Amino acid sequence: MFQDNPLLQQLKAQIKETLPTVEGQVKATERGFGFLETDKGDSHFIPPAYMKKVVHGDRVSAVLRTEKDKPVAEPDQLLEVGLDRFIARVKFVKERLNVVPDHPLMREPMRAKCKGLKGSELSNGDYVVAQLVKHPLRPDEPHFQVEITELVAAHNDPHVPWWVVLAKHDLAKAEPADPQGWQTPGDSQRQDLTQLPFVTIDAESTKDMDDALYVEAREQGGWWLHVAIADPTAYVQAGDEVDVEARKRGFTQYLPGFNVPMLPRQLADELCSLVEGQQRYAVVARIPVASDGSAGDAEFSLATIASHAKLAYDKVSDRLEGQEGAWQPQDAVIAEQIDLLHQLAQARIDWREQHALVFPDRPDYRFEVDDQGNVVTIHVEPRRIANRIVEETMILANSAAAALLAERVGGGVFNVHAGLDSERVDAARQMLADNGLEFDGERLQTLAGYCELRRALDAQPDGYLDARLRRMQAFSEMAATPGAHYGMGLQGYATWTSPIRKYGDMVNHRLLKAVIQGGTPESLPDAALIDHLTAMRKLHRLCERDVGDWLFARYLAPKAGTDEVFVGEIIDINRGGVRLRLQENGAVVFLPAPLLTDDKSRLTLVGDQGLAQFDGEQVFRLSQSLEVVIHEVRVANRNIVVAPRHKLV
């Protein structure tokens, strides 16, 4: 191969020194070229030849030059690598081991070597954990090279989606080790409430039942609601081995058809689970609820309870909704509990509609997966009355805990929401005014004003304004100090009702116990814990979404190119196209702009207003529904592309 002589290399270096440079992040495209995006918002074209020196996400310094009368950016210095530890697929090139990163915008094979396993044990398509060790923009490293450190899943493993997503984020795929020898707690202050007919209401398959309910009518009207929550902190002491692992995990990881517990299964599914007929340790809130749904101050105590019945959401809902041939409890006491809980929940719903905020009724989507990882079907599960009963009682219990912790402790693990993003209040007010809703900017930043806004949006004929306003809202956060939750319309919210599944709830249990026992908490949650739990919550949601996207792609792939019609709700509009959520199964799909019409010059997609215009006339907007067909499914990239049933003419 021809090599530049030293004089020519020196000349090239001198020319390069005279050219302007710019810093930015590399954005790859599916077509091989890329762009260098600067912090100022500028974009510079990177030709395919230069993209071979970088990967999507690299932060680089690039030389700006003109080639064939076109301005281009040539990456010159690596400032920050876009790949470090990553998931890749094995690809043998001329019998040499290579990998391709598991990323839709990274398609070039990278030379690989193994560390801790043998390359002969790998096959094309296997998923592995890889570490980037060489980069072409580093000195004396002419090409990419990675080390393979772990086999994640063979190419033919039916459970690839689960193992790959968990490995990608370095999360456990099995429950914590069980240390055995659990000690029975000896709390002298525990009340014996085993005679009270507590009931659990869960899915029929649920094993880790952490909440039970009992309600009794008050003579003056209204009810006494007892919420009993399983007490793992009776067994798990702060700082012990199980506690440290639970803190690290943060949450039980729920994935379609699969879960990874936060606590050892013997504790979560047996010792602490509120199993029917078994005595269990619990923390109990006794809450007075008036006939109009308003609640008084709660009393918290330590207790021993025994669930008198394991009830299932669907069976309870069938009974309360008057379904023909519906299940009926054989025990009159249990029947009375169901009826009283129904009355209380309805009163709470009515109260929250007037004084707080009620969630809109949206269905849940549940994958039914067989033992081979195949999606049998996707169930659409509306939120029925039994779900609302549990939801209302948990909201009531968590708001009661927030009030107690704020008053008596001054700290805890709180869920807070500030309503509108403070920097977007003026834009939100103007958008609302443009659509006939007048609100004072300062009022919008109060809890009462935000509740008024949400009720006004709920009264709109469609969800267009609601969808636009979501982009202007603050994110829900976790905090160590009390604060309002605007999204729920509540003065405070601190969850303690899922301690088997959430470490923050275990923390709040310990704080509540300190109050119950008349002492002072040894310590309060600090910023480090809150930051960790926030990050883990976000990560777990991301994992659930990623596995779901993979399963949706598998499920819908056979329908690509067929005439089967789906109805999609528009959830986003941008210049590239439209994102929709299919009502039949919950899949999020993409409709590219070129598939909407054969004449793109007549189509305008106005992202900031969430609408589409054709020949200057509005044709659809956010929250509307479109009929679509599956155009293409790229299972490896988890992309589902749809086309409109009828193109714009």
Side-chain angles (χ1 to χ4, degrees), residues 624-644:
Q624 282 187 229
S625 296
L626 286 181
E627 290 187 335
V628 298
V629 295
I630 307 299
H631 178 73
E632 179 186 11
V633 179
R634 304 169 188 169
V635 176
N637 294 338
R638 283 77 87 183
N639 289 338
I640 304 169
V641 178
V642 298

Side-chain angles (χ1 to χ4, degrees), residues 80-150:
E80 185 177 341
V81 70
L83 276 182
D84 185 16
R85 177 191 179 276
F86 61 100
I87 304 299
R89 298 196 76 176
V90 171
K91 182 175 184 178
F92 285 92
V93 179
K94 296 181 179 179
E95 299 185 354
R96 294 192 62 177
L97 180 61
N98 284 254
V99 299
V100 178
D102 182 41
H103 191 287
L105 300 178
M106 299 182 190
R107 298 182 174 182
E108 291 295 322
M110 297 178 174
R111 298 181 186 180
K113 59 182 181 179
C114 290
K115 182 180 181 180
L117 69 165
K118 296 179 180 179
S120 59
E121 298 173 351
L122 301 174
S123 301
N124 275 317
D126 289 350
Y127 285 88
V128 296
V129 175
Q131 186 84 30
L132 186 68
V133 293
K134 289 186 179 181
H135 193 293
L137 290 187
R138 289 176 181 154
D140 303 321
E141 296 180 4
H143 52 74
F144 287 107
Q145 184 164 318
V146 303
E147 283 185 346
I148 298 173
T149 58
E150 178 185 346

Side-chain angles (χ1 to χ4, degrees), residues 562-583:
T562 70
D563 294 330
E564 185 171 352
V565 177
F566 297 86
V567 178
E569 179 189 358
I570 299 172
I571 58 176
D572 185 43
I573 296 175
N574 57 57
R575 64 182 181 180
V578 180
R579 291 174 67 240
L580 308 98
R581 178 174 287 106
L582 301 185
Q583 296 178 3

Side-chain angles (χ1 to χ4, degrees), residues 454-523:
R454 294 301 317 172
R455 294 189 193 106
L457 293 175
D458 290 342
Q460 293 294 303
D462 60 32
Y464 172 67
L465 293 182
D466 181 30
R468 286 192 63 185
L469 198 74
R470 288 178 198 165
R471 305 178 181 184
M472 304 180 185
Q473 293 190 144
F475 292 105
S476 177
E477 298 178 340
M478 302 179 81
T481 54
H485 196 297
Y486 281 44
M488 301 180 73
L490 298 173
Q491 291 290 345
Y493 199 71
T495 64
W496 64 287
T497 51
S498 296
I500 294 176
R501 311 169 188 180
K502 301 178 182 178
Y503 187 75
D505 290 30
M506 287 179 61
V507 172
N508 283 340
H509 264 231
R510 292 179 176 128
L511 299 177
L512 290 170
K513 284 185 174 182
V515 174
I516 292 169
Q517 295 169 340
T520 302
E522 294 183 4
S523 63

Side-chain angles (χ1 to χ4, degrees), residues 21 51 57 82 86 118 183 226 240 260 458 496 525 616 629 647:
T21 61
M51 282 297 295
F86 61 100
K118 296 179 180 179
Q183 297 298 312
H226 298 72
D240 71 14
V260 184
D458 290 342
W496 64 287
V629 295
K647 283 189 175 183

Side-chain angles (χ1 to χ4, degrees), residues 18-303:
T18 66
L19 296 174
T21 61
V22 65
E23 294 182 3
Q25 189 171 42
V26 175
K27 301 291 184 181
T29 70
E30 292 185 348
R31 297 169 62 184
F33 57 82
F35 295 92
L36 186 69
E37 306 284 352
T38 72
D39 295 339
K40 295 181 179 180
D42 298 326
S43 183
H44 303 276
F45 178 73
I46 306 175
Y50 294 154
M51 282 297 295
K52 294 183 182 299
K53 298 180 180 181
V54 292
V55 294
H56 178 78
D58 279 350
R59 186 167 182 83
V60 302
S61 172
V63 176
L64 301 181
R65 66 169 80 247
T66 300
E67 294 182 358
K68 297 180 181 179
D69 298 325
K70 293 182 179 180
V72 301
E74 179 187 359
D76 184 53
Q77 294 183 19
L78 181 66
L79 304 177
E80 185 177 341
V81 70
L83 276 182
D84 185 16
R85 177 191 179 276
F86 61 100
I87 304 299
R89 298 196 76 176
V90 171
K91 182 175 184 178
F92 285 92
V93 179
K94 296 181 179 179
E95 299 185 354
R96 294 192 62 177
L97 180 61
N98 284 254
V99 299
V100 178
D102 182 41
H103 191 287
L105 300 178
M106 299 182 190
R107 298 182 174 182
E108 291 295 322
M110 297 178 174
R111 298 181 186 180
K113 59 182 181 179
C114 290
K115 182 180 181 180
L117 69 165
K118 296 179 180 179
S120 59
E121 298 173 351
L122 301 174
S123 301
N124 275 317
D126 289 350
Y127 285 88
V128 296
V129 175
Q131 186 84 30
L132 186 68
V133 293
K134 289 186 179 181
H135 193 293
L137 290 187
R138 289 176 181 154
D140 303 321
E141 296 180 4
H143 52 74
F144 287 107
Q145 184 164 318
V146 303
E147 283 185 346
I148 298 173
T149 58
E150 178 185 346
L151 172 64
V152 175
H155 64 281
N156 56 357
D157 187 330
H159 299 98
V160 158
W162 292 267
W163 306 149
V164 167
V165 169
L166 291 173
K168 176 182 177 181
H169 300 291
D170 201 17
L171 294 174
K173 63 180 184 180
E175 66 270 18
D178 190 340
Q180 303 295 328
W182 295 104
Q183 297 298 312
T184 303
D187 298 309
S188 59
Q189 295 185 356
R190 287 191 185 270
Q191 302 178 50
D192 184 353
L193 302 181
T194 54
Q195 297 307 308
L196 297 183
F198 279 95
V199 298
T200 63
I201 309 177
D202 287 283
E204 291 203 61
S205 60
T206 300
K207 294 182 179 180
D208 53 345
M209 295 168 288
D210 49 15
D211 57 86
L213 305 171
Y214 164 67
V215 63
E216 57 184 308
R218 296 196 300 173
E219 291 184 3
Q220 66 270 43
W223 309 268
W224 283 107
L225 172 66
H226 298 72
V227 179
I229 304 299
D231 187 10
T233 61
Y235 297 90
V236 181
Q237 303 305 309
D240 71 14
E241 178 183 353
V242 174
D243 183 70
V244 169
E245 181 64 21
R247 175 179 174 134
K248 177 183 175 182
R249 296 183 181 219
F251 301 85
T252 287
Q253 174 71 72
Y254 286 95
L255 300 174
F258 180 72
N259 71 74
V260 184
M262 179 185 76
L263 295 172
R265 286 198 186 274
Q266 185 186 8
L267 198 64
D269 295 351
E270 299 177 27
L271 290 177
C272 290
S273 183
L274 304 182
V275 178
E276 179 182 351
Q278 300 295 315
Q279 292 191 17
R280 292 291 185 264
Y281 296 105
V283 179
V284 178
R286 182 172 182 261
I287 309 169
V289 181
S291 55
D292 66 356
S294 59
D297 294 335
E299 303 170 1
F300 286 81
S301 63
L302 302 180

Side-chain angles (χ1 to χ4, degrees), residues 376-387:
V376 178
T377 189
I378 299 174
H379 298 276
V380 183
E381 299 181 336
R383 291 169 63 244
R384 303 178 67 191
I385 186 59
N387 304 80

Side-chain angles (χ1 to χ4, degrees), residues 376-449:
V376 178
T377 189
I378 299 174
H379 298 276
V380 183
E381 299 181 336
R383 291 169 63 244
R384 303 178 67 191
I385 186 59
N387 304 80
R388 297 293 299 270
I389 288 172
V390 175
E391 181 180 281
E392 290 300 327
T393 54
M394 295 303 106
I395 290 173
L396 185 52
N398 290 329
S399 57
L404 183 69
L405 292 175
E407 178 185 355
R408 300 285 296 277
V409 180
V413 179
F414 296 87
N415 291 337
V416 299
H417 181 246
L420 293 174
D421 185 331
S422 59
E423 296 184 357
R424 306 202 66 183
V425 171
D426 290 341
R429 185 193 60 75
Q430 186 61 55
M431 184 272 290
L432 293 165
D434 292 343
N435 288 274
L437 295 178
E438 297 288 343
F439 281 91
D440 177 75
E442 291 186 6
R443 176 75 173 168
L444 281 176
Q445 297 181 74
T446 66
L447 178 60

